[in-house]
Amino acid sequence: MQSNQHYHLDFLKSAFSYDNPYYSVAEVKKWIATQNRKVEVNIRKIPFSALNDWDFYDDHLALRHESGKFFSIDGIRVNTNWGSRQEWEQPIINQPEVGLLGFITREINGILHFLMQAKIEPGNVNFVQLSPTLQATKSNYSRVHRGKTPAFLEYFINASPDQVLVDQLQSEQGARFLKKRNRNIIIKIQDEIEVPDNFIWLTLAQVKALMREDNLVNMDTRTVIAGIPFGEYEPEVTGFFNFLNRNREVDSIPARMLQSLLTSQNALHSFDGILQFVTRLKTQYELKVEKLPLNQLDGWQIGEAEIYHRERKFFRIIAVEVLIGNREVQSWTQPMIEPAQEGLCVFIAKEINGLLHFAVQAKLECGNFDIIEFAPTVQCLTGNYRNEKSMKTLPFLDYVLTVQPEQVIYDTLQSEEGGRFYREQNRNMIILAGDEISQKLPSNYIWMTLHQLQTFIKFNNYINIQARSLLSAINFN
Amino acid sequence: MQSNQHYHLDFLKSAFSYDNPYYSVAEVKKWIATQNRKVEVNIRKIPFSALNDWDFYDDHLALRHESGKFFSIDGIRVNTNWGSRQEWEQPIINQPEVGLLGFITREINGILHFLMQAKIEPGNVNFVQLSPTLQATKSNYSRVHRGKTPAFLEYFINASPDQVLVDQLQSEQGARFLKKRNRNIIIKIQDEIEVPDNFIWLTLAQVKALMREDNLVNMDTRTVIAGIPFGEYEPEVTGFFNFLNRNREVDSIPARMLQSLLTSQNALHSFDGILQFVTRLKTQYELKVEKLPLNQLDGWQIGEAEIYHRERKFFRIIAVEVLIGNREVQSWTQPMIEPAQEGLCVFIAKEINGLLHFAVQAKLECGNFDIIEFAPTVQCLTGNYRNEKSMKTLPFLDYVLTVQPEQVIYDTLQSEEGGRFYREQNRNMIILAGDEISQKLPSNYIWMTLHQLQTFIKFNNYINIQARSLLSAINFN
C-alpha cells in the first residue's frame, strides 16, 4: 500500500514546523476574518412547515427529506444496564451513509502542508472555520442536491493506494448520531495544484496552533488530524527525536507528550490488558435501541418550530433556512440540533512510570456502533453539569472545575459539526494532574499512553469523537 | 492488567511441548473414544410441531423459544452492492446474547496446560469433541433452562484481571448468524483443582496435533486457540526462538510459520496499509439487512419438518429431539441448521520477501457485524463448489482442487459448532504455493503475514471464524 515509507516522519516534521512560505499563524487568523467578511450568511429559524422537501413521514416515524437522502431525525427507545438511567426515549440523527472527510497534502520546501478550506457551515459560531479539503456526505458527492460537484472530489476518487497516507472509519457523537461513521482520509500529491482563494496550505504545527483559539478549526478537521499516525521509536524517528531534544528542555510538556506518543514501554497497562478491559465491559453491558415515532417519545414534545424535552433539557430539534454565498448550494432549509447548554470535555493526564498517561473513560452512548467507546475523563454534553448533583456524582467534575490554573495546559471552546449542530460549542480542556489525582481510577476508567490511544484510533469505533477532538490539539513542540 | 508478564512465552512454550505427565496424543484419542462409548446419544429429526416450547411466533416472524431466550430463526432480506448476487432472502440465526467460550489453564511441570472438556453436542459428526473448559450461552449460565450450573463457571465469573491471559469478542459465521459474537477468554490459575472424568489437561502442541485429525477438536476450541497472542521478537521470545532454531532446520515449514508469526518486518504491506485497504472496502460496499417473516422468504418453503430452499441449495432448518447422558440437561428439542453439502475453507500461503504471507480475502457476508471481515483465500460454505461455474468464477478454487499433494500442508475435516449445526463439516486446507500463484491478487485479496493476522484477531470483527479456524491449526514445531 505505502510506497511512501517515510510518512510517519513526514507527519512528525510537519507537526514541528511553522515553515510556511505563504502565511504565518497570525496571518491565517486575519485571512479567516477576511473570508468571514467576504461571504454573506443568513441563518433563520423557521417552523417545520416551512421546510422545503422535509416532512414528518410515515405518521411521524421520522423527520426526513423526501428523497430519503441526507439524514433523518428518528425517535428511539433505549434500554441498557449501564449507569443510573437505564431506559429513556429521545430523538436522534440517523444518517447511514458514510461521509468523506479528506485532506490533500503536499510537500512545500520539504514540509508536508495540509490544504484547508475556509468553510461556512450554517451552525458554526464563527461562520467560517478551517475544514478539511473535502467534506462531503454521499448525498453531497453523488449530487442528490443537484448542486455542483464539491471541489477536489476527483483527487480522492482517483487516488492510487500509494497516495493514501491515512484512511480510517471514525465515529461521530454517540449521543446524537445513530451509529454514524465518516471516512477520514489523507492523501499526498506531488504536483502543484491551483487553489481557489478560500483554500490555504498549512503545516500541522500551524493547524494545532490555531486549535488553541476558540472555534477556528472545525470538528471535521480535528477528527482527521487526530488519526494521524506518527509511528514508534523507529530509527529515523528516533534520530529526529534526539535532534529535537538537544534543542529543548527534555522535561517540557511537549517533549513529555511526544515521549508518551512514541512509546508504550513502561506503560501501566499492556495493550492486550486494555483490550481485555474493554471486552469485559462490552460483554457486561447491554444496549438495545428500538425505533419509535417522534410524536410518541416519552418526555418529548413536537412544537411548531422545535422538538423539545419537556424540562428543556438535553437538546432540541429546530428547522432553519440557510442563505450562504460561497457554498455549492446557495440556499436551503434543513433541521438542526440545538444544545440546551454548553458542554465540557476534559482529559486528565498524569505521569506514571516516567511516562504521561491519560485517564480514559469507557462510556456507553446510545448511538455507539459497538456499545462502548473510549471517551475523555470528563464528558458532559447532554446535561447541565453546573449543578450540585453533577458535581457530586460525576467523577472528576468537581476537581476539573476547581483545578489550579497552572495545571490547565489546554482550554478552548470548540464547535461541533456545523452542518448538523446549531451553534454548539463545548469547552475542551487538558489538565496535567499531580498527586491529587490517584493512580487508582473508578471501575470504568483506565490509564493509557498517547501511543496506546493513537493505536486504538486506527481501528474503527474505539475512541469517541470528543476524545479524538482533544487528542488532535496536543502539540509536541 | 497483566501481572503475568511472561504469558507470550508461556503460550509459545506450550505450543512446542508434548510434555504431558498424564496423556500422550495417542492416549488422548483413545480417551475420546472411551468418552464417546460412555455416553448415550440419540438425535432424532422431528416435525416443527413436536418442538417443546418452540414455535413460529408473531405470524411467522421468527421460530423461537417461548422464553424469548436461546436463539431464534429469523427471516431476512439482504441488499448489497457486493458480488454478483446483490439481493436475496434467507433464514438466519439470531442470537443477540454474547456467549462465553473459556479455557482454564495451569502450569504443570512448568508448561501451560489447557483444561479441555470432552463435550457432546447434538450436531457433532463424532458426538464427543474436545471443547473449551466452559462453553455457555448467557441463557445457559443464567440458567433459563433450569439445569444445573455449568462446571467451572465460577472460575470465570470470579477471575481477577491478573488471571486473564486472553479476553476477546469474536464473530461467528456471517452467512448463518446475524451479528453474533462470543467472548473468547483464557484464564490461568495457580492451584491444583479437581477435574471431573470428562475433562483433561493438554498442552497447546497436543491440541494442535489433534487438529490434524478429522472432527476431534470443536469449533469453539479452535476460535479461542486462534486468538492466543505470542508477542513479537521480544528479548525473551528471541532467546527461545534461537534455542529452537539451533535444534532444527531453520527453513522447515514450522520454523517459517513461526518467523511469519513473530515479525512483520519486510512484510509486503504495512499494517496501516492493510487498514486502508479494509477501510476502502467498508466504505465502497453497502450491506442492508431487513427482517421478513419466514413464510414470505423468496425461494424458501416451510414444510412440516424443514424450512428449505426450493432448489435444495444452501442449508435447511430442521427440528431435532436430543437425548444425551452427560450434559446439564438430559433431553430437549431444538431447531438446527443442516447444510446442503460439505464446504471448503483454504488458505494459500507463499513466501514473499523471505517471509510467509497468506492470501487473505476481504469478504462481505450478510450477518457480518461490520460489513467486511477477512476470510480464507477460498471459502465455499453456502453453495456446491464442485461444479463448472464455481470452478470458473471463484478465484483459486480450480487451483486448490487440482494442487499437487506435496504442497498441501494441512487438510482435515472440521465441524462447525455442534449446538446449532447438524453434522456440518468443512474441509480445512492450507496450501504452500510456489511461483504458480502470482504475487498480484484479485482486488479484494491482500497478502498478510501471520503476525499481521494475529494482530487483527485481537480486535473485534476483523478476522472471520473460518479464517480463525484455519489459523488455529498452524503449528510451529
Side-chain angles (χ1 to χ4, degrees):
Chain A
M1 296 290 111
Q2 287 302 341
S3 74
N4 184 349
Q5 291 293 328
H6 305 290
Y7 63 112
H8 289 156
L9 187 57
D10 289 345
F11 280 131
L12 208 48
K13 280 182 181 164
S14 184
F16 276 90
S17 177
Y18 292 100
D19 182 12
N20 184 330
Y22 310 116
Y23 289 93
S24 70
V25 170
E27 286 163 344
V28 176
K29 284 193 249 178
K30 278 185 213 155
W31 180 84
I32 296 172
T34 310
Q35 292 294 325
N36 235 328
R37 277 194 302 274
K38 268 171 58 181
V39 293
E40 226 163 300
V41 185
N42 198 326
I43 315 288
R44 198 166 60 87
K45 292 189 187 178
I46 56 174
F48 292 122
S49 60
L51 284 169
N52 301 325
D53 309 330
W54 290 81
D55 212 340
F56 291 98
Y57 284 88
D58 298 333
D59 198 16
H60 286 81
L61 196 63
L63 173 59
R64 65 172 175 79
H65 194 260
E66 67 172 6
S67 68
K69 300 279 175 179
F70 304 111
F71 61 93
S72 64
I73 305 292
D74 295 2
I76 56 169
R77 176 191 292 141
V78 183
N79 279 281
T80 177
N81 55 352
W82 172 273
S84 54
R85 195 159 156 256
Q86 304 207 329
E87 191 180 325
W88 72 91
E89 297 174 2
Q90 68 166 79
I92 197 160
I93 308 170
N94 187 0
Q95 188 174 354
E97 297 176 340
V98 173
L100 194 152
L101 312 177
F103 275 109
I104 294 177
T105 65
R106 194 168 77 81
E107 275 184 34
I108 302 174
N109 296 343
I111 299 293
L112 209 59
H113 282 62
F114 291 67
L115 185 56
M116 316 283 304
Q117 185 184 172
K119 190 172 171 69
I120 304 160
E121 293 281 12
N124 285 350
V125 173
N126 299 341
F127 290 120
V128 169
Q129 294 192 7
L130 290 173
S131 91
T133 318
L134 177 64
Q135 185 176 314
T137 63
K138 211 163 194 172
S139 304
N140 230 200
Y141 60 78
S142 61
R143 302 174 66 186
V144 177
H145 64 343
R146 298 174 297 266
K148 51 185 164 126
T149 307
F152 300 109
L153 176 61
E154 71 279 12
Y155 284 85
F156 294 93
I157 288 173
N158 302 328
S160 65
D162 66 342
Q163 287 185 297
V164 178
L165 304 184
V166 169
D167 195 356
Q168 303 166 345
L169 279 176
Q170 297 292 359
S171 57
E172 290 226 24
Q173 289 195 330
R176 306 281 181 77
F177 281 99
L178 193 59
K179 300 190 177 186
K180 171 88 172 83
R181 300 195 294 189
N182 287 317
R183 182 178 186 183
N184 287 207
I185 182 164
I186 302 179
I187 62 172
K188 182 178 174 180
I189 60 167
Q190 299 300 331
D191 299 333
E192 234 173 289
I193 51 173
E194 209 170 314
V195 159
D197 71 354
N198 61 324
F199 284 76
I200 191 171
W201 291 103
L202 298 181
T203 70
L204 193 47
Q206 290 182 307
V207 179
K208 283 174 180 279
L210 291 159
M211 284 186 207
R212 310 227 138 223
E213 311 279 328
D214 293 348
N215 300 312
L216 286 189
V217 178
N218 84 349
M219 177 56 104
D220 292 340
T221 297
R222 300 192 320 269
T223 169
V224 182
I225 296 292
I228 290 176
F230 294 98
E232 312 197 334
Y233 277 124
E234 300 152 22
E236 56 174 22
V237 173
T238 310
F240 182 68
F241 187 63
N242 291 340
F243 166 79
L244 282 172
N245 284 346
R246 277 197 300 277
N247 293 286
R248 65 172 174 184
E249 297 287 336
V250 293
D251 61 352
S252 70
I253 293 171
R256 287 158 70 198
M257 288 289 180
L258 185 60
Q259 182 199 19
S260 178
L261 179 76
L262 295 181
T263 184
S264 288
Q265 226 177 347
N266 298 323
L268 188 60
H269 302 293
S270 72
F271 199 78
D272 286 356
I274 300 168
L275 278 166
Q276 291 163 18
F277 167 83
V278 71
T279 299
R280 195 160 56 242
L281 293 173
K282 282 186 183 179
T283 52
Q284 188 176 348
Y285 292 104
E286 285 161 14
L287 171 62
K288 197 176 143 201
V289 175
E290 297 161 285
K291 293 216 176 143
L292 274 186
L294 286 164
N295 58 0
Q296 289 175 29
L297 295 177
D298 185 40
W300 295 80
Q301 200 91 42
I302 305 185
E304 269 188 22
E306 55 175 346
I307 306 173
Y308 60 98
H309 191 263
R310 284 200 192 100
E311 295 167 30
R312 291 284 171 196
K313 294 201 292 193
F314 313 120
F315 58 84
R316 56 195 191 129
I317 313 290
I318 58 171
V320 296
E321 182 190 60
V322 184
L323 284 149
I324 279 186
N326 74 350
R327 256 183 87 96
E328 54 266 37
V329 172
Q330 306 293 309
S331 154
W332 70 92
T333 63
Q334 69 168 85
M336 297 197 88
I337 312 280
E338 183 175 4
Q341 65 282 313
E342 192 185 297
L344 178 68
C345 296
V346 189
F347 259 131
I348 297 177
K350 177 187 162 83
E351 191 159 299
I352 300 171
N353 300 344
L355 205 56
L356 277 187
H357 283 69
F358 288 71
V360 180
Q361 180 185 179
K363 194 170 172 66
L364 180 145
E365 293 187 285
C366 62
N368 281 356
F369 186 82
D370 193 7
I371 311 168
I372 299 277
E373 291 193 13
F374 289 122
T377 322
V378 173
Q379 177 183 316
C380 309
L381 294 173
T382 51
N384 186 357
Y385 60 84
R386 291 190 181 275
N387 60 59
E388 216 167 307
K389 189 171 164 249
S390 293
M391 295 282 265
K392 272 191 192 142
T393 57
L394 265 185
F396 306 108
L397 179 59
D398 182 36
Y399 170 72
V400 164
L401 295 178
T402 58
V403 71
Q404 298 300 314
E406 63 270 22
Q407 292 185 256
V408 179
I409 60 176
Y410 180 67
D411 190 358
T412 62
L413 292 173
Q414 298 295 350
S415 301
E416 296 303 310
E417 211 270 297
R420 300 288 170 268
F421 301 106
Y422 184 78
R423 301 195 179 167
E424 172 159 17
Q425 55 181 355
N426 294 304
R427 190 174 174 194
N428 277 231
M429 293 174 78
I430 299 176
I431 292 172
L432 195 52
D435 290 338
E436 73 281 7
I437 291 293
S438 156
Q439 193 173 309
K440 191 171 161 41
L441 296 174
S443 66
N444 62 318
Y445 294 73
I446 191 165
W447 291 108
M448 287 193 223
T449 64
L450 275 180
H451 179 257
Q452 290 170 330
L453 281 160
Q454 209 67 45
T455 305
F456 274 112
I457 283 182
K458 293 185 185 188
F459 295 86
N460 308 338
N461 301 99
Y462 276 96
I463 310 287
N464 82 354
I465 195 165
Q466 279 76 28
R468 299 199 314 275
S469 169
L470 282 165
L471 293 172
S472 72
I474 292 174
N475 62 2
F476 311 109
N477 66 346
Chain B
M1 296 290 111
Q2 289 300 342
S3 75
N4 184 348
Q5 291 293 329
H6 306 290
Y7 64 111
H8 288 157
L9 187 57
D10 289 345
F11 280 131
L12 207 50
K13 281 183 180 163
S14 184
F16 276 90
S17 177
Y18 293 100
D19 182 13
N20 183 330
Y22 310 116
Y23 289 93
S24 69
V25 170
E27 286 164 344
V28 177
K29 286 194 246 176
K30 279 186 211 153
W31 180 84
I32 296 172
T34 310
Q35 293 293 325
N36 235 328
R37 278 195 301 276
K38 268 169 62 179
V39 291
E40 225 163 299
V41 185
N42 198 326
I43 316 287
R44 198 166 61 86
K45 292 189 186 177
I46 56 173
F48 291 123
S49 59
L51 284 169
N52 301 323
D53 309 332
W54 290 82
D55 213 340
F56 291 98
Y57 284 90
D58 298 333
D59 198 16
H60 286 80
L61 195 63
L63 173 60
R64 66 172 174 80
H65 194 259
E66 66 172 5
S67 67
K69 300 281 177 179
F70 304 112
F71 62 95
S72 64
I73 306 292
D74 295 2
I76 56 168
R77 175 191 293 143
V78 183
N79 279 281
T80 177
N81 54 351
W82 173 272
S84 55
R85 197 160 154 252
Q86 305 208 327
E87 190 179 326
W88 72 91
E89 298 175 2
Q90 69 166 81
I92 199 162
I93 309 171
N94 187 358
Q95 188 173 355
E97 296 175 340
V98 172
L100 195 153
L101 312 176
F103 274 110
I104 294 178
T105 65
R106 194 168 77 81
E107 274 185 33
I108 301 174
N109 296 343
I111 300 293
L112 209 59
H113 282 63
F114 291 68
L115 186 56
M116 316 282 304
Q117 184 185 173
K119 190 172 172 66
I120 304 160
E121 292 281 13
N124 285 350
V125 173
N126 298 341
F127 290 122
V128 168
Q129 293 192 9
L130 290 173
S131 89
T133 318
L134 177 65
Q135 186 175 314
T137 61
K138 210 163 194 173
S139 303
N140 232 202
Y141 58 78
S142 61
R143 302 174 67 186
V144 176
H145 63 343
R146 298 173 299 267
K148 51 187 165 120
T149 307
F152 301 109
L153 176 61
E154 71 278 13
Y155 284 85
F156 293 93
I157 289 174
N158 302 327
S160 65
D162 66 342
Q163 287 185 296
V164 178
L165 304 183
V166 169
D167 196 355
Q168 302 166 344
L169 279 176
Q170 297 292 359
S171 57
E172 290 225 24
Q173 288 195 330
R176 307 282 180 78
F177 281 99
L178 193 60
K179 301 191 176 185
K180 170 88 173 85
R181 300 195 295 188
N182 288 314
R183 183 179 185 182
N184 287 207
I185 182 166
I186 301 179
I187 62 171
K188 182 178 175 181
I189 60 167
Q190 298 300 329
D191 299 334
E192 236 172 286
I193 52 172
E194 211 170 311
V195 160
D197 70 356
N198 61 325
F199 283 77
I200 191 170
W201 291 103
L202 296 182
T203 69
L204 193 48
Q206 290 182 307
V207 179
K208 283 174 179 282
L210 291 159
M211 282 185 208
R212 309 228 138 220
E213 311 278 328
D214 292 348
N215 299 312
L216 286 188
V217 178
N218 83 351
M219 178 56 104
D220 292 341
T221 297
R222 300 192 319 268
T223 168
V224 183
I225 296 293
I228 289 177
F230 294 99
E232 312 198 333
Y233 277 124
E234 300 152 23
E236 56 173 23
V237 172
T238 309
F240 182 67
F241 186 64
N242 291 340
F243 166 79
L244 283 172
N245 284 346
R246 278 197 300 276
N247 292 286
R248 65 172 173 185
E249 297 288 336
V250 291
D251 61 352
S252 71
I253 293 170
R256 287 158 68 198
M257 288 289 180
L258 185 60
Q259 184 200 17
S260 178
L261 179 75
L262 295 182
T263 184
S264 290
Q265 226 177 345
N266 298 324
L268 188 61
H269 302 294
S270 72
F271 198 78
D272 286 357
I274 301 169
L275 278 166
Q276 290 163 17
F277 167 82
V278 70
T279 299
R280 194 160 58 241
L281 293 173
K282 282 186 183 179
T283 52
Q284 188 175 347
Y285 292 106
E286 283 162 16
L287 172 61
K288 196 175 143 203
V289 175
E290 297 161 285
K291 293 215 176 147
L292 275 187
L294 286 164
N295 58 0
Q296 289 175 28
L297 296 177
D298 184 40
W300 295 80
Q301 200 91 42
I302 305 185
E304 270 188 21
E306 54 175 347
I307 306 173
Y308 60 98
H309 191 264
R310 283 198 195 104
E311 295 167 29
R312 291 285 170 197
K313 293 202 290 192
F314 312 119
F315 57 83
R316 56 196 191 127
I317 313 290
I318 57 171
V320 296
E321 181 189 60
V322 184
L323 284 150
I324 279 186
N326 75 349
R327 255 183 89 97
E328 53 266 38
V329 172
Q330 305 292 310
S331 154
W332 71 92
T333 62
Q334 69 168 83
M336 295 197 89
I337 313 280
E338 183 175 3
Q341 66 282 313
E342 192 184 296
L344 177 68
C345 296
V346 189
F347 259 130
I348 298 177
K350 176 185 164 82
E351 192 159 297
I352 300 171
N353 299 345
L355 205 56
L356 278 187
H357 283 68
F358 288 70
V360 180
Q361 180 185 180
K363 194 170 171 65
L364 180 145
E365 293 187 284
C366 62
N368 281 356
F369 187 82
D370 193 7
I371 311 168
I372 299 277
E373 290 193 13
F374 289 122
T377 322
V378 174
Q379 177 183 317
C380 310
L381 294 173
T382 52
N384 187 358
Y385 60 85
R386 291 190 180 276
N387 60 60
E388 216 167 307
K389 188 170 165 249
S390 294
M391 296 281 266
K392 273 191 192 141
T393 55
L394 265 185
F396 306 108
L397 179 60
D398 183 36
Y399 170 73
V400 164
L401 295 177
T402 58
V403 72
Q404 298 302 313
E406 62 271 21
Q407 292 185 257
V408 179
I409 60 176
Y410 180 68
D411 190 359
T412 62
L413 292 172
Q414 298 295 350
S415 302
E416 296 301 311
E417 212 267 299
R420 299 288 170 269
F421 301 105
Y422 185 78
R423 300 195 182 169
E424 172 159 16
Q425 54 181 356
N426 294 305
R427 189 172 174 196
N428 278 230
M429 294 174 79
I430 299 175
I431 292 172
L432 196 51
D435 290 338
E436 73 281 7
I437 292 293
S438 155
Q439 193 173 310
K440 191 170 160 42
L441 295 174
S443 66
N444 63 317
Y445 294 73
I446 191 165
W447 291 108
M448 287 193 223
T449 64
L450 276 180
H451 179 256
Q452 289 169 332
L453 281 161
Q454 209 67 46
T455 305
F456 274 112
I457 284 183
K458 293 186 185 189
F459 295 86
N460 308 338
N461 301 99
Y462 276 96
I463 310 286
N464 84 353
I465 194 165
Q466 279 75 29
R468 299 200 313 275
S469 170
L470 282 165
L471 293 173
S472 72
I474 292 174
N475 62 3
F476 312 109
N477 68 347

